[in-house]
Structure formats: C-alpha cells, structure tokens
C-alpha cells in the first residue's frame, strides 16, 4: 500500500517537473507532498524549493541577546586563558582549562535543559562553535564529547538512560567517547570484530574487542560502543547485527593505550580502547538490540553541520592575523597589501569564510525547524566545503606570510596541521561526496522512475517530449525558476547571480536525468561521475545560501552589505563557471570527459604498484 | 642462372624497399639481393637447419659431409691459449694472433665465420667490443664500391655477406651496434652496402623492440635453482602481494650431484586472494595438483605445478549479496528498478572460457608425487582448510618435459630425467591415475 502511495507521489512529481520544465508554471504544483523532502535533494530534479531557504533563517532578538551574553565570558576565556601553543606542544589540554570549560557549561551545549545542559538550538550551537574553534584541540575534544560521544544517548536513549547519564555528562563530570572505528573497520560496518555476547542469566552482555583512534579515549568515563551481537531475525535465522551500548569505564575490563602521536590537533586525546570481558547490563543497550547501525548513522549524520561555523570562526581570526602582517610588512617601499597577488588571497579567504558561514547558518536554521527535518545532505555539503576551504585558506595564508608561516614560533604552521584532519574525520570528503551524490540520485531516481521506464520502453510521446525539450534547451533557453523578477526572493542587485544559479540548477536536473537514464542503479560504480555530481550540488547549495543571506542583508540594511553583495557575486560567477565545466565533463562524448583515460592510467600504475614511466634520461641505444 | 634470378628478384624488391630505407638509398640505383638467395650462392648446400638459431653463419661443411673431422682453417688459432681457458681474453688473443699471423688478412672471411661460431663457447656472444673487433679484421676501403657499375651489382658479395652475418649474430643476441660499428662499416663497405643497410635497420628496430616485452626476464638468470624458481614463480604470478615460500631447500649427496638430489627444492607461491579462496573452498570437492607445465625463461626451461579446483557449475555458485547494513556513510546500492542502458554498456560480447580457480603454484626439483605431497604439507601450515580437502595428484609424468637439451646449450635443463627414471615415471603415472592422497 505504502509502495503504491510512493509510486503515485513519484509519478505526480514527475508530471509536475515536466510541467515546470515546459511552461515554468506556478510553483504550487510542485508541492505534491505535505512534508518537505529536503532542499538539496530537490535540486537533483532541477527545481529550487525556494520556500525552504528564502528568506535566510533568523533567530529572535531574545535568543540572540541571550547567546551574546553567554558568549562574552567564553570569548574572554579563549582569548586570554587558553594557550593553544602550549596545548599543541605538550599534547594535552591542562586540567584547569578543562575545569574552566566545564564550569562554563561547554560540555553540555546541546543537552536539553531538563538534563542540566544548556539546551542550545543548532544555530546557537554553531555560533558558540565559532568561538571554541579558536583552539582546535578543545574543539575536537568537545565535539567528540557531545557531537558524537553523548549524541547517541540524546538521539536513541530511553528516559532512564537519559536521566542516569546526561546530567553528569552535561556538567563535564563525565566525558564521553564514541567507539566505532576498529583496525579492520573504517566505514565498513560488516567488518566490526568487537563482539557482545549475552550472559547466561540474560542480564549482561560480555563485551570483547578493540577500538582504535578513539578521541577522548583516555579521558572518557562513558563510551558509546558498537559491537556485533547475535540476534534471531524474523525468519528464525541467527544473524550478526550491530548493537550500540553505553559502557561505563567502571564496568571493568576497559583499558586504553597511550595517546597517539598525531600530525595536528595534538592536544586532543586519541588512543586505542580495549574491552576485555566488560560486563554491560542489558539496560545499557542504546536503541534496539541489533539497531546499532541506524544509531551510528544518525549520530554521524547529525554531527557534521557544525564544522562550517567552526572553520569560519577560525578563518576570521586567520584573516585578522594575516591582514595585520600584510599591512605592516614592507617590500620595495610598498606594503604587502598593495600587491595584487596578496590582495587576491585576502579576497579568497573572505569569500570562503562568507560562503561557509552562510551555509552553516542556513543549515542550522533548517535543522532548527520544528519536526525532524532531514538535512543530512546539507550537513555533509557544509562539512565538505568548509574542510576544503579551511585547508586552502590556511595554505594561502602561509603563502602570504612567506617563510614566517613555516616557523614553529608562529601559530600558522599549527593551524595548517590542524586543518588537515578536517578533510579526513567525520567521514572523509570522498565518502561524503558519495553520500551526497547517492542520496540525491536515489531521490531523483525514484521520482523519475516512471518517466525513465517510459523512455526505455519506447513510449513515443515521452520520447518526443524529451527530444523536444532537449531541442528547446539547446536553442539557448532562458531559465526562470522564480528567484528574481517582481515576486522574486533575491534582491535585484544579485539578479545576475540568481539567474546563473537557476540556469545551473535547471541543467543539473537535466544532467541527472540523463545520468540516471544512462546508468540506472549501476551509477553506484561510477565514482568519478558521482564526485562531479556532488561537486555541482555543493556549489549549488552554497550559491543558494550566499544569495539568500546577501538578499536578507540588503533588505534589512546590515552593516557593509555592499561588501556581501560583492562577495556573493564573485562566488556565484566562479561557481557558475565551475558548474558549467563540470556539467560538460559529465557529458558522455565531451572532450572534457577524461574519465576513461584517467581510469586507464590508474589501472596501469596500480597493476605495477609503481610509477611506470621510463626515466627521461634513459636510452634504448 | 641463379645470379640472374637473384638480380631480377632484387630489382623488384629494391623498389619496394627504397621507401623504407629512405635517404640512405636514394642516391644511386642500388640493387639488393635477398640474403637467402645470396647464401645459396656462397655457402655449401643448406646445412643451417641443424643449427639452433637461424644464424647466417654457415656451419663448417665438413661436419655433415665427412665422418672424419677435417680441420677448419684457422681452427688452430683458437687452441693456443696457454691456460686452455675459454674467456674473452683468450678469444681476443686468438683474433690478434690471426691479425699477426696473416698480415694481408688472407682468409679473413673464413676466420670471421669461425670466430662467430666460437663466440658462444667463449662466452663473448653478447660483447659489442668483440663484434667490433671482428669487423675490424676486414681490410678497410677495399670493398667500397667506387663506380656506378659497382653500385648496381653487389660489390664483393662474399665479404658483404660475412659482414651481414656478423650483424645478424649481434641481432640474435640482442647486441645493439654503436657508433664504432657504424664507422667501421662505412670504412669497410661504404655507406650504400648491405651491412650498412642491416645496421640501419637494427638501429631503427632495436630501439623500438627493446622494451616491447611487458614481462621482461632478466638477461642473466640466477644459477641457483631455488632463485630461478622464485624468479619463475614471480614471473607468472600477477598479484604482487603474493608470497614466495621455500618449503624445502635442496640437499645433495655430493656437491656436484645437482642431477640427483636426495632432497629436491620446493618453492611455492600463493597470494592472499588465493589463500582466501582456498579457505572458502567446499571440502567436499577435491582439488588437483597438476603439472608439470613448462615455462621458458630466456633459454632455460623450468617446470611448475599448480593446485587448482574445477569450476563450479553456474547453479552451484553462491551469489555474493550486498549486506544490508554495510557502509556507515553512504548506500552501497540504489533502490531503483532500472539498470545501465545498452548504449552505456561497454562490455563486449566476449565468449570467455572460464577456468577453475588456481590456489597456488610451485616449482620443485623433482616432479614425483612424494615431493609434491611435501609441498601440500607445507601449504597446510598457512591454509588450515587444506587439511580437510582431498587432494588428487594428476601428474603428467615426464611426458610434459623437454627431454633433450637444446643444441648449443651447454648445460642441460635443470631437471633432467635420467634414463632409468623413465620406467619409474611410467609406474608412477599408472599409480597416480588411481592415486589420491
């Protein structure tokens, strides 16, 4: 029955798309389902759900005052009392710093107030994250504690578990850690070796196994542990499934190795954690027995959006520091700031910071809507964009500083080292790109099923319609998805950029349809195609966020909104051209599409496991 | 008669070749004679076929004709080395003796042919300097054509052919001529001569063919049979993670008795994938030790055995299904009911003959069941599953082996089955037909 419903809905949506594509009729017909399906996913169909993202989400004055009040002491503490250099050199956060963080309540930012936390909304959490990001080791420690460590209890815990654990976690009396990664299991859940077996009295699980690279592993008292358990499924078959457990250190048998020596974020505690015959009471199962996979996925998906604001906070500080240098350092009787190539770098940093800030707060706003909005794709986009921008900007900053940036006496090399992990943890960017692309393609694929089937079966009217549309598209069709114009949501000074976004979105939708037609479900194997799809989507979402924010800034007259317009326009034009290029790469027969050759090179290198070209000085005679 | 034929043939050919040889031949009308025909003219009837490699060097005719071995001219020069050793120094000495002995270089063509035949015995067949030295024996400037008539007809064909033979032998041994060779050839035969043409072709094609083999074998193979086996196994195994294990080191009764080792060497190779496949093998199905199969490495032939199973029937194969909860980060499959379109299906329709899986390979000093059983025992240490799987020995006995050493090869192939062993092998074979371990 529900399948039938879905089918009807999909068919209706497909029809709606067609109507839109042909005549650009009113947006109302798009609203085929009462519940929103997420902004980013709809982009795959070539439509902009503008009601979701326009206007830019705001917080009310009261909440804003509250957070500003709260931020004062936190900021003071971070600028005055935290010595990041010392933390980095000594490889740990001093006790007193941790105590102070606890007393500020930063260990329970997102724990609901009834359990003793601050109960911050996602937006407020993001705002606070900007300040905390002034020290990366503290950021990572806190994130491991509350973004993933205790998140499981908030998401999947029952009332008793919440009342038992959350208050002490929120106060920082207990620190949490998230134990998923194993030597043989990164993102592959099937290869988890840690095992929990039910004891004979059925009151305990006996937990055995090792977890590696556990942030806070040496400090934590409460662990969220994922282990294989045997369960009997509906067909009476015994199966191994993953279950999540809340494990206290004092359950016994919990040991940890010495802290790992890392490239960056050296102040955070990362180590191996071993469980040996640890007795975990059955009431400490998080969620359902055998339901650990979903718990893990939800925790991981929920934690990502905050990286955007954290990196933005770090970048803003970086811009301050490098600008100070560039405006005082003189070469050839000129300040560095007068050289075009240096100016370019500052523009880049400002632009990246602006974009990721816009995206981070837009996503936080989307997450703060009532209900349980699914913004995992958006959050993944924020993570990918901000981590890559962080790496790029820190590297450019080092370039501005020249040799000085390379010296250990200055904080820049530490920032560079710290920024590197952002591309790796919480799901590597490669994996997240697959997630972004596949989630969207799955959505688009379902909606377009009937249409694609009709084309494949040779339904004449559908084919004629498709061909006709392609013809119209090729005759330089102007796309209007209703962002601009009389009733438009984008300010006229951003009109050009908005039109570019619309054009990109429309042709992206067409390309997605073509890709689905070409590959169907086997697109899972086409990773290079999916990477490009994800890249376009990242650009589209960031363009939308920037346009939405800049429009709001102009309309309410924020300070320096003309600067925002500049940044928004620069970014949109650049992203537009990137998108055009990527779209052409996705075209099967375009000269830009080098996938086959790239694959061949990789195969030849990997077959020999070495660089196989002869040395340029080699001779045959 | 044959002269006329040769020239007629050559004229026709030269037209075709002119394009290939480019600037070197454009100058004068230059007739070419197919070397096959020339050889017919100058050497005694074709006795080359007995020679192992297709060299242009004529065999001493006496060998095939007369039972009594007559002395080949200049043969004595090669026996003069005081120590009796055959190495480069004594070869060079012989050549120098010839030059001193006949200042006018009488009979130099015969001597060069003789020297070419002797080169392998002295181990200098890959030495460019020696070839240059041989070419240097030719008197300079004498054979260069000076008039147009000389250009048209082959000038000093016997000498030119001898020069070509030197180059041919270089080619057979993969020796690339250098500038000195070129200089000598120009001095001796002039720019437009057959040896020079041969030289240019070698220059052109050698450089192109030098690296044509995607699976190169080192020129100097290890003498130790264990090392040779390791090399051969690595050569066959595409998986670079595969591990070579020496299951048994060779032990001989006496130091020289490589021919009859009491304990033959056993060297095996297995990749992690093969190990995993063997671990999953259904113990109800037997696996087979098959062999010996031959493998040529340069001029050596080695034999190997494989451990393999029969291909599973299509209906018995387990379909590998994607576990439901596998990837924590992104879906491993899309829930769509349509797949790849036919116009994006790059798979060609290839009729593939599937073969059963090969689990391991080995090279052993002996090919009998006892030795190979030791290999299987050794394999069991790393593949515990092997203990439960029946192993059937399907050995071809000595039939798969190369019995006679190839002529011109000094040492026999590593496992020479002794005469007396053949019967034994037959018995063994009979036993093996029913035999299972």
């Amino acid at each position: 029955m529900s399948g039938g419903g879905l089918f009807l809905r999909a068919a209706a949506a497909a029809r709606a798309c067609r109507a839109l594509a042909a005549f650009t009729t009113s947006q109302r017909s798009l609203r085929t389902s009462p519940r929103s399906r997420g902004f980013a996913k709809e982009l795959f169909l070539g439509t902009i759900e503008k009601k979701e993202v326009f206007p830019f989400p705001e917080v009310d004055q009261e909440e804003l005052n509250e957070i500003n009040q709260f931020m004062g002491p936190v900021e003071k503490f971070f600028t005055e009392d935290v010595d990041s250099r010392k933390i980095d050199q000594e490889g740990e956060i001093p006790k007193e710093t941790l105590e102070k963080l606890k007393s500020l309540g930063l260990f329970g930012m997102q724990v609901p107030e009834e359990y003793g936390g601050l109960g911050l909304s996602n937006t407020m959490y993001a705002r606070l994250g900007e300040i905390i990001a002034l020290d990366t080791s503290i950021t990572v420690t806190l994130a491991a504690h509350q973004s993933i460590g205790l998140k499981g209890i908030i998401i999947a815990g029952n009332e008793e578990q919440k009342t038992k654990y959350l208050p002490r976690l929120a106060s920082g009396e207990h620190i949490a850690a998230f134990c998923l990664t194993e030597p043989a299991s990164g993102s592959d859940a099937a290869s988890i070796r840690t095992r929990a077996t039910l004891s004979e009295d059925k009151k305990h699980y006996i937990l055995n196994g090792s977890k590696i690279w556990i942030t806070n592993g040496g400090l934590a008292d409460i662990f969220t542990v994922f282990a294989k358990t045997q369960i009997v499924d509906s067909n009476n078959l015994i199966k191994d499934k993953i279950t999540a457990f809340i494990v206290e250190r004092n359950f016994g048998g919990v040991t940890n190795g010495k802290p790992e020596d890392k490239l960056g974020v050296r102040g955070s505690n990362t180590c191996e954690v071993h469980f040996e015959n640890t007795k975990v009471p059955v009431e400490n199962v998080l969620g359902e027995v055998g339901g650990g996979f979903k718990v893990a996925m939800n925790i991981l998906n929920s934690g990502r959006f905050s990286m955007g604001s954290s990196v933005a906070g770090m970048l803003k500080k970086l811009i301050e520091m490098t600008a100070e240098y560039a405006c005082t350092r003189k070469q050839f009787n000129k300040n560095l700031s007068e050289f075009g190539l240096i100016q370019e770098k500052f523009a880049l940093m400002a632009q990246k910071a602006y974009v990721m800030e816009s995206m981070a707060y837009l996503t936080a706003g989307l997450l703060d809507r009532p209900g349980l909005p699914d913004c995992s794709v958006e959050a993944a986009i924020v993570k990918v964009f901000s981590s890559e921008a962080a790496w790029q900007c820190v590297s450019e900053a080092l370039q501005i500083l020249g040799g000085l940036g390379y010296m250990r006496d200055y904080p820049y090399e530490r920032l560079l080292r710290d920024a590197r992990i952002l591309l790796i943890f919480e799901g590597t960017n490669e994996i997240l790109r697959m997630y972004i692309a596949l989630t969207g393609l799955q959505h688009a694929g379902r909606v377009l099923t009937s249409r694609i089937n009709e084309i494949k079966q040779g339904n004449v009217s559908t084919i004629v319609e498709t061909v006709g549309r392609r013809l119209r598209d090729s005759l330089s069709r102007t796309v209007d998805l209703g962002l601009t114009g009389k009733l438009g949501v984008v300010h006229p000074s951003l009109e050009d950029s908005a039109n570019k976004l619309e054009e990109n979105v429309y042709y992206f939708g067409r390309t997605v349809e073509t890709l689905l037609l070409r590959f169907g479900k086997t697109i899972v194997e086409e990773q290079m195609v999916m990477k490009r799809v994800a890249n376009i989507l990242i650009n589209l979402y960031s363009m939308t966020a920037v346009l939405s924010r800049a429009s709001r800034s102009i309309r309410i007259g924020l300070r320096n909104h003309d600067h925002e317009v500049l940044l928004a326009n620069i970014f949109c034009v650049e992203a537009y051209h990137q998108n055009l290029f990527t779209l052409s790469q996705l075209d099967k027969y375009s000269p830009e599409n080098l996938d086959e050759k790239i694959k061949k090179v990789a195969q030849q290198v990997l077959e020999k496991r070495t660089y196989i070209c002869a040395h340029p000085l080699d001779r045959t005679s | 008669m044959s002269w006329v034929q040769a020239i007629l043939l050559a004229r026709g050919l030269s037209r075709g070749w002119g394009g290939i040889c480019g600037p070197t031949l454009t100058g004068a009308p230059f007739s070419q004679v197919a070397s096959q025909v020339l050889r017919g003219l100058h050497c005694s009837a074709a006795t080359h076929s007995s020679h192992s490699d297709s060299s242009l060097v004529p065999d001493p005719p006496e060998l095939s004709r007369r039972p009594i071995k007559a002395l080949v001219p200049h043969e004595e020069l090669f026996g003069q080395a005081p120590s009796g050793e055959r190495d480069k120094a004594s070869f060079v000495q012989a050549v120098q003796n010839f030059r001193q002995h006949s200042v006018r270089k009488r009979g130099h063509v015969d001597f060069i042919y003789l020297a070419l035949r002797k080169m392998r015995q002295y181990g200098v067949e890959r030495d460019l300097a020696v070839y240059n030295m041989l070419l240097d024996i030719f008197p300079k400037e004498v054979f260069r054509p000076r008039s147009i008539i000389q250009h048209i007809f082959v000038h000093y064909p016997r000498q030119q052919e001898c020069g070509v033979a030197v180059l041919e032998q270089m080619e057979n041994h993969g020796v690339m001529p250098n500038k000195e060779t070129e200089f000598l050839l120009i001095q001796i035969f002039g720019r437009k001569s057959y040896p020079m043409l041969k030289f240019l072709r070698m220059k052109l094609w050698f450089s192109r063919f030098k690296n044509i083999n995607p699976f190169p074998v080192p020129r100097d193979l290890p003498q130790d049979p264990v090392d040779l086996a390791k090399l051969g196994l690595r050569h066959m195994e595409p998986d670079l993670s595969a591990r070579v294990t020496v299951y048994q080191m060779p032990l001989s009764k006496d130091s020289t008795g490589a021919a009859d080792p009491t304990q033959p060497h056993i060297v095996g190779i297995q990749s992690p994938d093969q190990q995993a496949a063997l671990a999953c093998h259904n113990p109800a199905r037997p696996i087979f030790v098959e062999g010996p199969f031959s493998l040529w490495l340069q001029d050596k032939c080695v034999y190997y055995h494989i451990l393999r199973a029969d291909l599973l029937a299509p209906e018995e194969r387990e379909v590998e299904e994607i576990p439901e909860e596998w990837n924590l980060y992104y879906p491993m499959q899309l829930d769509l009911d349509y797949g790849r379109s036919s116009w994006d299906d790059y798979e060609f329709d290839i009729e593939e003959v599937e073969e059963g899986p090969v689990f391991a390979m080995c090279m052993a000093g002996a090919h009998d069941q006892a030795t190979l059983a030791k290999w299987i025992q050794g394999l069991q240490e790393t593949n515990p599953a092997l203990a439960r799987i029946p192993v059937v020995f399907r050995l071809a006995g000595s039939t798969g082996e190369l019995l006679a050493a190839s002529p011109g090869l000094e040492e026999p192939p590593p496992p020479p089955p002794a005469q007396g062993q053949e019967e034994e092998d037959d018995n063994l074979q009979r036993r093996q037909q029913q035999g299972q371990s």
Side-chain angles (χ1 to χ4, degrees):
Chain A
M1 188 57 220
S2 66
L6 182 77
F7 178 74
L8 280 180
R9 213 158 59 188
R15 228 175 298 132
C17 291
R18 251 174 288 155
L20 173 94
F23 315 107
T24 339
T25 47
S26 74
Q27 295 289 302
R28 194 152 301 152
S29 62
L30 264 177
R31 291 268 172 192
T32 48
S33 65
R35 202 169 153 271
S36 104
R37 287 178 300 217
F39 172 76
K41 284 187 193 171
E42 288 299 316
L43 287 176
F44 277 82
L45 294 166
T47 59
I48 297 178
E49 292 261 305
K50 58 181 179 179
K51 285 198 179 124
E52 306 243 333
V53 291
F54 291 101
F56 197 72
E58 289 187 330
V59 292
D60 52 24
Q61 193 60 46
E62 215 174 288
E63 208 179 344
L64 194 64
N65 289 342
E66 203 179 302
I67 195 77
N68 280 342
Q69 253 176 14
F70 182 72
M71 262 169 37
V74 177
E75 195 161 5
K76 187 163 171 282
F77 170 67
F78 268 89
T79 45
E80 289 174 8
D81 294 349
V82 175
D83 186 351
S84 299
R85 191 168 163 217
K86 194 171 153 223
I87 293 178
D88 182 64
Q89 279 175 349
E90 294 183 356
E92 68 176 341
I93 304 168
K95 277 262 164 12
E96 33 308 354
T97 310
L98 279 177
E99 288 308 316
K100 183 75 189 179
L101 290 171
K102 286 172 189 173
S103 68
L104 283 168
L106 296 181
F107 277 75
M109 286 188 277
Q110 284 207 291
V111 177
E113 279 170 277
E114 64 258 41
Y115 302 112
L118 295 179
L120 295 180
S121 66
N122 289 304
T123 311
M124 292 302 118
Y125 177 60
R127 180 73 187 94
L128 213 50
E130 274 186 50
I131 312 292
I132 296 169
L134 295 180
D135 185 275
T136 30
S137 295
I138 294 179
T139 312
V140 169
T141 306
L142 288 180
H145 171 70
Q146 51 195 337
S147 267
I148 49 178
L150 60 78
K151 197 69 161 248
I153 304 180
I154 298 180
I155 292 178
N158 55 30
E159 201 48 46
E160 290 121 55
Q161 289 166 345
K162 283 185 182 174
T163 42
K164 186 173 176 195
Y165 291 109
L166 284 183
R168 273 186 285 181
L169 286 168
S171 69
E173 191 185 336
H174 284 168
I175 294 178
F178 181 77
C179 304
L180 177 64
T181 309
E182 293 187 14
S185 157
S187 39
D188 177 359
S191 51
I192 284 181
R193 300 261 180 280
T194 304
R195 183 160 279 286
T197 38
L198 199 56
S199 64
E200 285 184 5
D201 57 2
K202 307 225 166 177
K203 283 185 180 161
H204 289 96
Y205 278 96
I206 311 293
L207 191 65
N208 275 299
S210 296
K211 300 282 183 177
I212 56 163
W213 303 334
I214 305 304
T215 311
N216 294 349
L219 311 171
D221 309 283
I222 310 288
F223 301 87
T224 308
V225 185
F226 294 86
K228 283 264 174 82
T229 45
Q230 266 190 357
I231 62 154
V232 181
D233 72 351
S234 48
N235 302 338
N236 265 339
L237 287 170
I238 294 175
K239 268 194 173 173
D240 272 349
K241 284 211 150 188
I242 299 163
T243 306
F245 297 94
I246 308 170
V247 180
E248 296 176 30
R249 191 181 278 271
N250 55 27
F251 283 166
V254 183
T255 49
N256 57 273
K258 69 170 176 35
E260 305 280 350
D261 195 10
K262 306 187 289 289
L263 173 72
V265 285
R266 297 171 60 88
S268 72
N269 179 294
T270 305
C271 57
E272 291 177 20
V273 177
H274 309 282
F275 300 96
E276 199 184 337
N277 293 326
T278 304
K279 277 172 94 179
V280 186
V282 279
E283 55 268 23
N284 271 28
V285 170
L286 201 50
E288 287 170 34
V289 177
F293 188 83
K294 289 226 165 60
V295 175
M297 242 172 57
N298 286 336
I299 295 173
L300 290 169
N301 280 341
S302 70
R304 286 188 194 117
F305 80 98
S306 63
M307 191 185 283
S309 65
S310 304
V311 172
M314 190 267 284
L315 275 189
K316 286 191 231 171
K317 182 85 184 161
L318 184 69
I319 292 174
E320 269 176 41
M321 295 193 294
T322 42
E324 179 73 33
Y325 177 80
C327 293
T328 48
R329 164 96 170 164
K330 270 196 190 312
Q331 290 284 285
F332 315 112
N333 284 333
K334 267 182 173 180
N335 279 331
L336 278 191
S337 55
E338 289 170 61
F339 293 101
L341 287 181
I342 302 293
Q343 291 169 353
E344 197 185 16
K345 295 184 198 305
F346 280 101
L348 178 93
M349 290 198 284
Q351 179 205 324
K352 295 279 180 191
Y354 182 72
V355 176
M356 79 175 72
E357 213 177 40
S358 313
M359 268 204 287
Y361 285 98
L362 176 65
T363 313
L366 292 177
L367 281 166
D368 279 338
R369 286 174 311 176
L372 282 174
D374 175 21
C375 292
S376 53
V377 179
E378 285 86 348
I381 291 174
V382 173
K383 194 264 169 181
V384 172
F385 184 90
S386 54
S387 56
E388 275 166 16
W391 179 242
Q392 194 186 356
C393 289
V394 175
S395 160
E396 290 291 10
L398 249 76
Q399 216 56 36
I400 295 169
L401 294 156
L404 196 128
Y406 204 66
M407 298 301 141
R408 280 235 150 153
D409 288 344
Y410 296 90
Y412 308 104
E413 59 88 27
R414 173 167 49 79
L415 286 178
L416 186 85
R417 285 188 281 117
D418 289 351
R420 194 61 187 81
I421 191 63
L422 301 176
L423 303 148
I424 299 168
F425 70 4
E426 294 194 25
T428 65
N429 285 4
E430 283 70 22
I431 274 181
L432 289 181
R433 282 201 164 88
M434 295 301 110
Y435 174 73
I436 293 165
L438 282 170
T439 316
L441 287 168
Q442 172 74 74
H443 174 70
R446 282 216 187 105
V447 174
L448 297 173
T449 299
S450 58
R451 202 184 141 68
I452 285 173
N453 281 341
E454 274 174 33
I455 293 177
K456 290 204 172 182
Q457 282 154 15
N459 185 322
V460 178
S461 67
T462 320
I463 292 175
V464 168
E465 196 197 312
T466 314
V467 172
R469 201 174 58 195
R470 292 281 155 87
L471 269 176
R472 271 200 303 281
D473 288 350
S474 62
L475 297 170
S476 75
R477 177 181 182 284
T478 51
V479 184
D480 184 7
L481 302 179
L483 289 185
T484 54
K486 239 179 185 173
L487 294 171
V489 286
V490 175
H491 191 270
S493 55
L494 298 160
E495 197 177 337
D496 278 349
S497 302
N499 287 335
K500 290 194 161 71
L501 171 65
E502 285 173 334
E503 191 194 320
N504 274 169
V505 170
Y506 177 77
Y507 286 105
F508 178 57
R510 296 286 81 80
T511 306
V512 165
E513 192 184 306
T514 315
L515 289 175
L516 283 167
L517 203 57
R518 277 176 62 190
F519 296 113
K521 60 183 170 190
T522 60
I523 199 164
V524 183
E525 293 144 30
E526 305 288 329
Q527 291 205 330
M528 287 197 274
V529 168
M530 289 199 291
K531 183 197 96 180
R532 301 215 167 94
V533 168
N535 280 347
I536 296 175
L537 194 74
I538 291 168
N539 275 337
L540 294 181
Y541 185 62
S542 40
M543 282 161 99
T544 318
V546 163
L547 288 175
S548 173
R549 176 177 171 197
S551 296
R552 169 181 174 265
S553 301
I554 304 169
R555 285 200 175 120
I556 65 171
L558 284 182
R559 192 187 299 278
N560 293 336
H561 62 248
D562 52 336
H563 186 68
E564 289 189 31
V565 173
L566 271 176
L567 289 175
N569 279 331
I570 293 175
F571 176 73
C572 286
V573 173
E574 282 180 4
Y576 168 76
H577 287 292
Q578 272 175 23
N579 283 344
L580 286 189
F581 182 68
T582 317
L583 283 171
S584 65
Q585 283 186 315
L586 284 172
D587 192 2
K588 187 175 175 186
Y589 296 109
S590 72
E592 289 90 355
N593 185 349
L594 301 174
D595 289 4
E596 289 307 308
K597 288 170 199 165
I598 291 171
K599 274 185 194 165
K600 211 167 174 180
V601 167
Q603 274 165 10
Q604 288 171 351
V605 168
L606 291 173
E607 192 191 350
K608 293 279 186 285
R609 300 188 188 178
T610 175
Y611 172 76
I612 56 173
C613 296
H615 193 275
L617 300 182
D618 279 355
R619 297 168 57 116
T620 47
S621 58
Chain B
M1 186 59 212
S2 57
W3 264 106
V4 179
Q5 222 177 355
I7 287 162
L8 282 178
L9 185 69
R11 302 216 77 148
L13 280 175
S14 70
R15 254 175 242 132
W17 292 358
I20 303 168
C21 306
T24 55
L25 285 178
T26 45
F30 187 80
S31 74
Q32 306 205 359
V33 180
S35 56
Q36 285 294 327
V37 183
L38 261 185
R39 193 159 46 188
L41 284 173
H42 292 282
C43 330
S44 57
T47 47
H48 326 286
S49 51
S50 68
H51 209 271
S52 64
D53 47 9
S54 60
S55 158
L56 293 185
V57 184
D59 279 333
E62 294 83 353
L63 273 180
S64 51
R65 296 264 171 86
R66 289 172 219 165
I68 312 143
K69 194 175 177 186
L71 200 65
V72 184
H74 313 298
E75 181 84 59
E76 76 285 353
L77 287 172
F78 282 98
Q80 282 177 354
S83 56
E85 266 180 54
R86 292 182 160 186
D87 58 358
K88 187 178 171 183
S90 54
F91 191 86
V92 171
Q93 188 59 47
V95 175
Q96 270 160 4
N97 285 347
F98 170 76
R99 303 181 74 158
Q100 284 159 7
H101 157 85
S102 96
V103 185
R104 297 190 208 295
K105 308 211 169 144
R106 178 177 295 148
H108 62 267
V109 170
D110 287 332
F111 177 76
I112 290 172
Y113 278 134
L114 175 72
L116 286 177
R117 281 197 300 271
K118 292 273 181 195
M119 277 178 106
R120 203 196 264 266
Q121 296 167 18
Y122 284 78
V124 290
E125 75 273 19
R126 283 179 188 152
D127 197 326
L128 176 62
V130 174
Y131 285 106
N132 283 340
M133 206 170 64
L134 284 185
L135 283 176
D136 201 20
I137 296 172
F138 281 110
K140 311 294 177 307
E141 305 293 332
V142 182
F143 309 133
R144 286 181 74 157
R146 271 155 226 288
S147 69
I148 196 148
I149 306 291
Q150 287 172 346
H151 267 304
I152 292 170
F153 297 100
V154 183
H155 197 47
Y156 285 99
R158 187 164 143 76
Q159 279 74 9
Q160 284 208 33
E161 199 214 347
C162 180
V164 170
V166 174
L167 290 168
E168 176 80 13
Q169 185 153 334
M170 285 168 79
E171 183 183 313
N172 287 343
H173 290 112
V175 181
M176 181 75 172
N178 65 357
K179 280 258 179 263
E180 196 191 339
T181 323
E182 184 182 7
F183 184 70
L184 283 167
L185 288 173
I186 291 172
Q187 267 197 324
I188 301 161
F189 299 110
R191 272 200 188 280
K192 293 186 180 115
S193 57
Y194 285 106
M196 201 52 204
L197 187 61
K198 171 96 191 161
F199 167 83
L200 288 171
R201 284 175 182 159
M202 280 168 80
K203 270 287 201 200
L204 180 75
W205 292 113
F206 260 39
S207 50
R208 277 153 186 73
F209 286 148
K210 190 178 175 193
N211 292 312
I212 204 79
N213 185 358
F215 309 106
V217 180
R219 171 175 269 187
D220 298 310
L221 292 173
Q223 292 302 312
D224 181 27
V226 176
D227 289 341
L228 189 68
K230 281 182 188 171
L231 184 93
L233 289 169
R234 277 265 173 246
H235 192 69
M236 286 189 289
E237 175 63 57
D239 189 345
L240 295 177
S241 328
R243 269 184 48 197
V244 174
T245 317
V246 180
Y247 294 103
Q248 189 169 283
M249 284 302 278
L251 278 179
S252 320
K253 267 181 208 143
D254 48 333
S255 54
T256 54
D260 184 24
T262 49
Q263 187 183 321
H265 65 275
I266 307 172
V267 185
I269 193 167
Q270 195 182 32
S271 71
D273 288 349
Q274 289 173 327
Q275 216 164 329
L278 187 54
C280 303
H281 186 80
N282 179 6
R285 305 174 65 91
I287 55 178
F288 307 100
V289 175
E290 287 187 357
F293 303 108
S294 60
L295 169 75
W296 283 94
L297 298 168
Q298 298 285 20
D299 51 359
K300 276 188 183 161
C301 186
V302 287
Y303 298 91
Y304 63 95
H305 291 79
I306 58 170
L307 181 68
R308 59 163 280 259
D310 277 337
L311 191 64
L312 280 176
E315 62 273 12
E316 287 173 58
R317 280 176 225 174
E318 284 173 32
V319 186
E320 206 179 304
E321 59 179 35
I322 297 178
E324 216 173 296
E325 296 181 342
W326 199 5
N327 192 323
L328 281 160
Y329 291 92
Y330 63 90
M332 298 294 272
Q333 54 185 350
L334 287 185
D335 177 23
L336 299 176
D337 56 0
Y338 45 91
R340 193 176 286 256
S341 322
S342 47
W343 68 86
D344 253 290
D345 203 351
Y346 300 115
E347 305 274 312
F348 286 104
D349 273 341
I350 301 172
E351 195 62 38
E352 281 186 346
V353 180
E354 280 188 278
E355 288 186 339
V358 174
F359 298 120
M361 287 190 290
C362 91
M363 281 189 188
H367 308 321
D368 53 80
Q369 190 171 341
T371 313
L372 293 167
K374 275 188 198 158
W375 171 48
I376 300 297
Q377 269 173 15
L379 269 178
Q380 278 181 15
E381 281 172 27
T382 45
N383 301 276
L386 198 54
R388 299 192 307 273
I389 307 171
V391 180
V392 181
F393 288 82
R394 291 205 290 212
L395 305 178
S398 59
T399 48
E401 286 173 42
L402 200 70
L403 287 173
S406 51
L409 208 70
E410 291 244 342
E411 64 240 286
Q419 286 296 330
Q421 211 184 315
E422 273 192 18
E423 275 180 31
E424 209 179 294
D425 276 352
D426 283 347
N427 292 337
L428 203 73
Q429 214 178 337
R430 241 168 279 134
R431 252 183 288 137
Q432 278 152 8
Q433 274 159 8
Q434 327 118 349
Q436 285 192 5
S437 97

